Amino acid sequence: MKLRHSLAVALACTMAAPLALCAAAPALAADPTPAQTRNQPTYEELQAAAAAAAKAHTAAVAAEAEGRKEVEATLDALDSPEHPLKAAAIAAEKAAKAAASAKKAAEERVTKAKAELAAAEGDTEKAAAQQALTAAEADLAAAVKDQQAADAALEKADTAVDDARVAATRKYGLLKADVERTDKALTAADAALAAAKECVREDGLTALAEGLPSKVVAGTTVGFTLSVTNGTERTLDVDPLVFLHAAAEGAGAKNLLKAEWADGTAWRTLSVDQPEHIGRIDSLPPHGHRDVKMRLTVDASASKTAGLALFAGDASDAYNPCVLGPMKRYDLEVLPAGSTPGKIDDAKPGHPGKNDDPRPTTPNTPAPQGGATIPVPTPTPTSTPTGSLASTGADSTTLPLALTSAAALTLGAGALIATRRRKAADRA
């Protein structure tokens, strides 16, 4: 009981040191200023800090486990009579008991000598009794000194054992405190990294279709441009997100559209069953602009139906792996082959439907393989397109055309949500 009490006392004394914590960095607000970003750690630095904190915590836990074995072994050894300190304490205790017995015997002799002196008759007998008493009292005085010395030696030997116990438990207590300190530091570092991973909106990052017709005749191909603009004050790596889909008749019917984009050397075909990120635009500078050539082909067998196109800029920068630009929806009308549509206006960007783009808050799924990288030439800074995008075009939550398969469009929107999450996770 005394052993465990000393361990508890030593731990209580050694675990009171203050702990230094890593402050969690908040997620980027929309359109932070350069001064704001300069005052916060980059995402790479947060990753490194979290990795270092995890490594330190793992090492502390391992050291604590080894320290526990060591302190238990030390405490057990100090209870063994074979340990030098314990052997010395046992010997000192034995000597103290012997000194106490010798003192008691000396006290008894003094008592006896006093009684004999009191009973003595005649000068000669009294003188002999007095001499015996004086000798007994001298022996008692020596025995008292011997006992005091033996008791002091015993106290010193016991203190040496207790000091060894305290030293062992104090060392373990420091290891225990280090586990708590590194655990708190790891929690803070992980929280800072998680905050940086949260997807944030950036209205200045736009991806708009230019020259996309509102009507397309079956069996024809139309070209248009996806115009990507970084209207922010910081450099972004941008992955344009594209989804084109036409309602097809009947469950499982093939999609009637073929969408392609130019990577600078060849045309690449996009999926029409799920949203897809096309070539990355690396290091698009503040107010930088990049055009991606695209074309859309409608199957000659298509009958009159409705379709939609969704475009957005997904990006990352040094401080956040998930930056989401506003999504714009373009409603399309597919006409049967041979139709004469007359003058065709460009499709206008409008709000996505309520199920088209609910923003993810945290990337949490693996990312697919991305497309080719689109090189960014040294640009001449351009301004963000004028006008409020939120008020441009009709609200497309209500299609102007009767959809032959609304379920197909809803399915596509759900896939789009997953795609944006996967891409964000890939950057993280």
Side-chain angles (χ1 to χ4, degrees), residues 151-401:
D151 288 346
L154 175 59
E155 182 178 1
K156 183 178 180 180
D158 284 342
T159 298
V161 174
D162 288 341
D163 286 348
R165 288 194 182 104
V166 170
T169 53
R170 180 180 290 115
K171 180 180 178 181
Y172 173 69
L174 293 175
L175 296 174
K176 188 78 172 176
D178 202 41
V179 170
E180 294 188 5
R181 178 187 62 80
T182 56
D183 180 66
K184 290 183 179 180
L186 176 59
T187 299
D190 284 345
L193 185 61
K197 282 183 179 179
E198 292 181 359
C199 295
V200 294
R201 300 188 186 193
E202 182 51 82
D203 291 339
L205 173 62
T206 59
L208 301 174
E210 296 179 354
L212 176 65
S214 59
K215 298 178 182 181
V216 186
V217 177
T220 65
T221 298
V222 295
F224 63 97
T225 299
L226 181 61
S227 177
V228 180
T229 300
N230 177 13
T232 74
E233 299 300 326
R234 61 192 194 276
T235 298
L236 297 175
D237 295 326
V238 184
D239 293 285
L241 183 67
V242 176
F243 181 53
L244 294 105
H245 194 90
E249 295 182 2
K254 72 172 184 178
N255 196 290
L256 302 173
L257 303 182
K258 178 183 179 182
E260 298 170 286
W261 64 281
D263 66 3
T265 59
W267 286 98
R268 291 175 174 262
T269 302
L270 287 164
S271 170
V272 289
D273 295 320
Q274 61 182 2
E276 187 173 340
H277 288 97
I278 62 177
R280 167 169 285 201
I281 305 172
D282 285 325
S283 302
L284 189 61
H287 304 291
H289 180 83
R290 186 75 170 101
D291 287 338
V292 182
K293 296 298 181 183
M294 302 193 68
R295 64 188 183 188
L296 176 65
T297 302
V298 182
D299 192 277
S301 65
S303 58
K304 183 175 181 179
T305 186
L308 63 77
L310 296 171
F311 301 101
D314 290 352
S316 62
D317 65 9
Y319 302 92
N320 198 297
C322 182
V323 180
L324 303 179
M327 178 166 292
K328 291 301 169 182
R329 170 173 171 161
Y330 296 76
D331 292 320
L332 310 175
E333 182 179 0
V334 176
L335 301 177
S339 299
T340 305
K343 182 183 178 181
I344 301 176
D345 295 326
D346 288 348
K348 301 298 183 182
H351 299 302
K354 65 179 181 179
N355 293 322
D356 288 340
D357 186 34
R359 295 310 181 109
T361 55
T362 303
N364 55 11
T365 54
Q369 295 296 321
T373 298
I374 301 176
V376 180
T378 303
T380 300
T382 60
S383 60
T384 305
T386 58
S388 172
L389 295 177
S391 61
T392 304
D395 185 346
S396 58
T397 56
T398 302
L399 282 176
L401 306 173

